[in-house]
Amino acid sequence: MTTGRRRIFPGWLLVGAVMIALMLCGITIVVSTFGIFTAHWTRSFGWSQGAMAGSLSTFLLSTTLAVPVVGVAVDRFGSRRTAICGVIAFAALLSVAAPLVRSLPLLFLFYALLGLVGAFTNPIVYIKALSVWFDRRRGLALGIAVAGQGLGAAVLPPVVQYVSEAAGWRGAFHLLSAGLILLVLPLVLLFVRDDPGELGVSPDGGGRPGPAEGDAAGLTLAEARRTSAFWIILIVFALFGLVNYALSGHFVYLMLQRGVGTLPQIAMLLSIAGASMIGGRLLFGWLFDHFPLPLVGAVGVLCAVAALALLLGIAAIGPAAFAMSVLMGVAMGAETDLLSLLVSRYFGQLAISRIYSWQNVSFLIGAASGPPLFALLLARFSDPTVPVLALIALCVLSVLLLLLLEKPAYARSAPA
């Protein structure tokens, strides 16, 4: 039945709900607020930054361990039920466990639990639902949804800092917990659905309900592991994680070491990169829908190459530094969206969350390895030129691997 007034496609409401949910997902909350909370813990308990730094690595490690379990849960129970349980459990953990942190061992235990439980609120939970609701416009939909992480990274630090000063750091954790229950949980309950047919529509807003193209098709995890594409993507995203976190973990240090700008000016460059990441996700989301994924992904990686090349030549805050920040953010946005799209386009919907979890684990292992390996190179060479050139070489290797990527036989008739 049609009406004179055109209704908004419910899939876009799902995208909006996921975008808000990812503003307060586990990895967004922990990574974006870690520096704020450690500053307050130093003030309250006298802990040094070095003593607390390992807790973030503990978080990444426990997240890595939890991701395969999340993939199985989503494939078995769907995005909606997994997200509901994850949001409630993560909110309870923030509210109940955080105030009990009074020693360094408890801090490490707390961050280990944050990784295990918070994994059930991360993007992997929603990829399956978004892929079912969108086919032709999947890239744009994913780009908008995952941009929520960029928004969270921009909004949470000042909010957490303000609340911590006004009500103490425990009050900030209670606020984050309340945000999950009062904002994210209702949105998940209202708008996250695993089948557009439940609302009488088809993917992309077509008039007749039905599954997305290839929704029931695809490869099992065992079948995917027997393809060269699976292992190429695995290696590419390990390299992405290594390069991204090596650079982000040492960016402030590199700039200060070379005398490029003051700390507030460098923080401004990071804000520019964060804003550009949002724009990059939207731009590349559209490009991914219209051009071959490996080619567009290679362009995104080349943006990172350009940013690193500019980093080597920057001597002062100016247009070159601004361009470097923009390119850095655009590259991060493009690479993040590429992972979920490659998995859905190359391996189908049958075991998308299980397959995605393997690729996500690869990215997280690279991310955890990047900062210490880059620190070793910085210690080995007095000048950062060689370490940065090593990152550029890894980016070029990623481009070559992407261009060698071929779809599994079953998917070669599907759009790139």
Side-chain angles (χ1 to χ4, degrees):
M1 180 177 179
T2 60
T3 62
R5 179 178 297 177
R6 187 175 181 179
R7 295 175 54 202
I8 185 171
F9 174 49
W12 293 116
L13 299 177
L14 165 67
V15 168
V18 173
M19 183 178 69
I20 300 300
L22 294 182
M23 287 181 65
L24 291 171
C25 72
I27 199 159
T28 303
I29 286 177
V30 171
V31 174
S32 67
T33 64
F34 184 74
I36 304 297
F37 283 121
T38 54
H40 285 275
W41 289 327
T42 297
R43 188 185 304 173
S44 299
F45 304 114
W47 300 335
S48 69
Q49 185 69 25
M52 293 182 287
S55 61
L56 186 58
S57 298
T58 301
F59 166 79
L60 289 171
L61 176 60
S62 61
T63 300
T64 302
L65 294 174
V67 160
V69 180
V70 179
V72 172
V74 174
D75 278 339
R76 180 170 297 179
F77 303 111
S79 293
R80 176 183 169 84
R81 283 189 284 181
T82 305
I84 291 171
C85 294
V87 168
I88 293 173
F90 192 55
L93 179 63
L94 290 174
S95 181
V96 175
L100 301 179
V101 174
R102 294 187 178 90
S103 67
L104 282 172
L106 287 175
L107 176 68
F108 276 69
L109 175 60
F110 175 54
Y111 270 80
L113 293 173
L114 286 179
L116 292 172
V117 178
F120 288 83
T121 67
N122 286 340
I124 184 175
V125 175
Y126 303 99
I127 295 300
K128 186 178 182 72
L130 289 166
S131 297
V132 170
W133 276 85
F134 292 91
D135 184 21
R136 297 185 309 275
R137 293 179 286 182
R138 188 176 296 165
L140 180 60
L142 287 168
I144 295 173
V146 182
Q149 289 184 285
L151 291 173
V155 171
L156 290 180
V159 171
V160 167
Q161 170 60 16
Y162 176 82
V163 175
S164 296
E165 291 290 345
W169 60 267
R170 293 178 179 86
F173 276 110
H174 288 308
L175 176 68
L176 293 170
S177 176
L180 284 162
I181 295 299
L182 299 178
L183 180 61
V184 174
L185 184 59
L187 291 174
V188 171
L189 289 169
L190 286 172
F191 300 120
V192 175
R193 295 287 186 276
D194 292 286
D195 179 10
E198 293 179 10
L199 300 182
V201 297
S202 63
D204 294 310
R208 291 177 298 174
E213 182 181 345
D215 180 46
L219 303 181
T220 65
L221 176 58
E223 291 169 338
R225 287 201 298 251
R226 290 195 289 269
T227 67
S228 61
F230 179 89
W231 297 104
I232 289 176
I233 296 171
L234 197 81
I235 295 170
V236 165
F237 280 93
L239 295 175
F240 282 179
L242 192 155
V243 172
N244 283 344
Y245 277 74
L247 180 59
S248 61
H250 296 280
F251 179 75
V252 175
Y253 170 80
L254 287 173
M255 298 292 280
L256 290 175
Q257 184 191 46
R258 303 181 63 192
V260 182
T262 63
L263 190 57
Q265 288 174 326
I266 297 170
M268 177 194 68
L269 293 179
L270 290 174
S271 296
I272 292 171
S276 300
M277 182 171 64
I278 298 171
R281 281 175 170 163
L282 299 179
L283 170 63
F284 276 86
W286 183 87
L287 291 173
F288 285 137
D289 285 337
H290 293 83
F291 300 97
L293 291 179
L295 181 60
V296 178
V299 172
V301 179
L302 290 175
C303 288
V305 171
L308 290 166
L310 285 171
L311 176 62
L312 287 175
I314 289 174
I317 300 296
F322 177 83
M324 175 198 64
S325 298
V326 171
L327 287 168
M328 191 165 61
V330 167
M332 288 189 291
E335 292 167 1
T336 304
D337 292 348
L338 181 62
L339 173 56
S340 54
L341 285 168
L342 283 174
V343 171
S344 64
R345 293 297 190 197
Y346 278 55
F347 306 112
Q349 300 293 321
L350 184 63
I352 182 174
S353 297
R354 287 181 175 90
I355 297 171
Y356 181 89
S357 70
W358 272 68
Q359 308 297 341
N360 198 202
V361 163
S362 175
F363 180 88
L364 289 168
I365 291 174
S369 303
L373 289 176
F374 195 66
L376 288 175
L377 285 177
L378 289 173
R380 173 67 178 79
F381 298 94
S382 58
D383 185 87
T385 300
V386 173
V388 173
L389 287 175
L391 296 184
I392 291 176
L394 293 178
C395 288
V396 172
L397 176 60
S398 299
V399 170
L400 295 176
L401 289 171
L402 283 171
L403 296 179
L404 289 174
L405 194 57
E406 293 184 359
K407 283 187 175 183
Y410 102 95
R412 287 174 188 161
S413 61

